[in-house]
Amino acid sequence: MSRLRTLPDPEHFPALRPEYLHRLPALDLGELDPPPRILLLYGSLRDRSFSRLATEEAARLLQLFGCETRIFDPSDLPPPDLFPYDDHPAVHELREHSIWSEGQVWCSPERHGQITGIMKAQIDHLPLAMKGVRPTQGRTLAVMQVNAGSQSFNSVNSLRILGRWMRMITIP
């Protein structure tokens, strides 16, 4: 069972103004072969999740700019430490996608001034080292948050701190 979300309407950009689009921003940096691999994580299980929608929009833009993307669906991810040695298929799949990635995007809603438990559980399942492999170290990380009326940056600050702790190159 794959826990990757299928991106709905990958070519749909209703608000994008083509005259402002530079489709190949890294043109002078060399070939994108293979394309950059980006794993996207979001922190809400609601049917109408704005963090998932923002993540999907980020995936569309990344694909437009030539990246290969994967969006992990955390709906059946168990809480950390529930299974001995994290022996659960969802945990194994999340870790495989993290190892596959060269960069990641994390997006969480802000709940009670902090990231959600769903987002934290995903991060907690990514160890600093795993059988000699470091699933996050050296990867680029972009962080985003969605707010419901507050003017706070607590979620992006927490995600930034967690990303740095995971030895990632973090860009808010």
Side-chain angles (χ1 to χ4, degrees), residues 137-156:
Q137 182 172 331
R139 285 159 177 78
T140 302
L141 172 65
V143 297
M144 307 185 300
Q145 81 176 55
V146 293
N147 283 351
S150 67
Q151 295 293 320
S152 170
F153 299 101
N154 292 331
S155 288
V156 290

Side-chain angles (χ1 to χ4, degrees), residues 22-145:
H22 182 40
R23 186 129 187 194
L24 299 172
L27 181 65
D28 294 330
L29 297 177
E31 291 294 317
L32 294 179
D33 186 30
R37 298 182 306 265
I38 310 296
L39 173 64
L40 296 99
L41 306 178
Y42 60 93
S44 174
L45 299 179
R46 293 181 178 173
D47 288 337
R48 182 94 171 131
S49 163
F50 291 104
S51 64
R52 188 191 76 242
L53 292 172
T55 298
E56 289 172 351
E57 189 67 11
R60 282 186 196 91
L61 289 167
L62 287 166
Q63 287 179 8
L64 181 68
F65 293 130
C67 296
E68 182 180 349
T69 64
R70 294 181 182 177
I71 302 173
F72 183 77
D73 182 352
S75 59
D76 70 336
L77 190 69
D81 304 323
L82 186 63
F83 291 88
Y85 309 106
D86 291 325
D87 193 22
H88 187 275
V91 175
H92 293 294
E93 186 172 339
L94 173 62
R95 289 176 178 179
E96 287 171 12
H97 294 310
S98 183
I99 291 169
W100 164 86
S101 73
E102 297 171 319
Q104 297 185 14
V105 175
W106 296 350
C107 181
S108 180
E110 185 166 307
R111 181 168 294 157
H112 303 298
Q114 211 32 265
I115 64 173
T116 62
I118 299 296
M119 190 73 225
K120 183 68 164 71
Q122 292 175 85
I123 296 167
D124 286 346
H125 281 301
L126 296 173
L128 291 176
M130 179 178 78
K131 298 179 183 175
V133 176
R134 298 183 187 275
T136 57
Q137 182 172 331
R139 285 159 177 78
T140 302
L141 172 65
V143 297
M144 307 185 300
Q145 81 176 55

